[in-house]
Amino acid sequence: MGIAEGRGGRRGPENVWGSAATGLMCAVASVPATTLGISSSIYKLAYVASIATKLADTFASEIGKAFGKTTFLITTLERVEPGTEGAVSLEGTLAAVLGGTLLSLYGYAVGLLDSVPAVIISIVASFLATNAESVIGATLQGKKGFKWMTNEVVNFFNTLIGAFIAISCGMILL
C-alpha cells in the first residue's frame, strides 16, 4: 500500500540499510560454525527474527493505518490519529503477529530454523521488537535533539532488537 512511508511509499537506499543491515550481519556471522561463541544456528535464528521483525512492523504500519479503527499511543494509551509515531491499534497488532508468524514459518520451511521452538522464539522476538519500535517512535523519533532518529534508524534498531531477543532466547532455551 505504501501509506506508512513518505514519498508515496517509494523506497530508497536508506530503507534498505535500515531494514536489512541487521539481517546481513546475522547472515554473515552464521557462515562459520561459531562466531563470538554463538553457534551458526543461533545466528540463523537471529537472521530470520530480524526479517520477521521488519515484516511484522510493515504489516502493523500498513494495516494499522489502513484499517485501524481506534489507535492509541503505546506509551500512554491515549487515543491518537492513525499514523502518529508510536500509535498502535488492534488491527495493526494482529497484522504484526501475522507478519512475524508468516516469515518465521517460511524460515522453518526453507531450513533456516531447525525446530518449532526456534519458530516460536522468532515470532515472539518479532512481536516484542515491533512494539519496542513503537515505543521508540513515540518517545524519540522526530523529537527535539533526536533529528538523527529517522524512520530508517528506527527500523535498524527495530530489527536489531528482534535479532538480540532471538539470540538471547535462543542461547537460553535451545
Side-chain angles (χ1 to χ4, degrees):
M1 287 193 227
I3 59 177
E5 295 291 327
R7 300 183 298 209
R10 291 186 315 269
R11 313 281 177 155
E14 65 278 8
N15 297 103
V16 174
W17 77 258
S19 299
T22 300
L24 175 63
M25 289 185 290
C26 293
V28 169
S30 77
V31 174
T34 60
T35 303
L36 301 174
I38 300 171
S39 73
S40 176
S41 65
I42 297 295
Y43 280 116
K44 288 177 187 175
L45 168 61
Y47 168 77
V48 172
S50 74
I51 304 301
T53 296
K54 185 58 196 141
L55 187 61
D57 175 53
T58 300
F59 273 32
S61 298
E62 298 286 348
I63 301 300
K65 279 188 177 183
F67 302 107
K69 292 183 174 61
T70 306
T71 53
F72 300 93
L73 195 61
I74 195 167
T75 54
T76 64
L77 300 181
E78 169 189 343
R79 286 182 82 161
V80 293
E81 289 295 315
T84 302
E85 291 298 341
V88 295
S89 67
L90 175 62
E91 297 83 359
T93 301
L94 293 174
V97 172
L98 177 63
T101 300
L102 288 173
L103 210 302
S104 298
L105 288 172
Y106 181 77
Y108 182 69
V110 299
L112 290 170
L113 301 180
D114 56 8
S115 68
V116 172
V119 172
I120 293 168
I121 289 170
S122 179
I123 294 167
V124 170
S126 69
F127 180 74
L128 293 175
T130 297
N131 283 287
E133 189 264 357
S134 294
V135 171
I136 293 168
T139 58
L140 300 177
Q141 191 172 1
K143 304 292 191 247
K144 187 175 180 180
F146 289 95
K147 296 296 180 198
W148 57 271
M149 187 67 74
T150 64
N151 192 52
E152 294 74 32
V153 172
V154 172
N155 283 337
F156 173 71
F157 284 125
N158 180 27
T159 58
L160 191 65
I161 292 167
F164 177 77
I165 292 170
I167 288 171
S168 299
C169 291
M171 291 181 70
I172 293 167
L173 300 173
L174 298 179

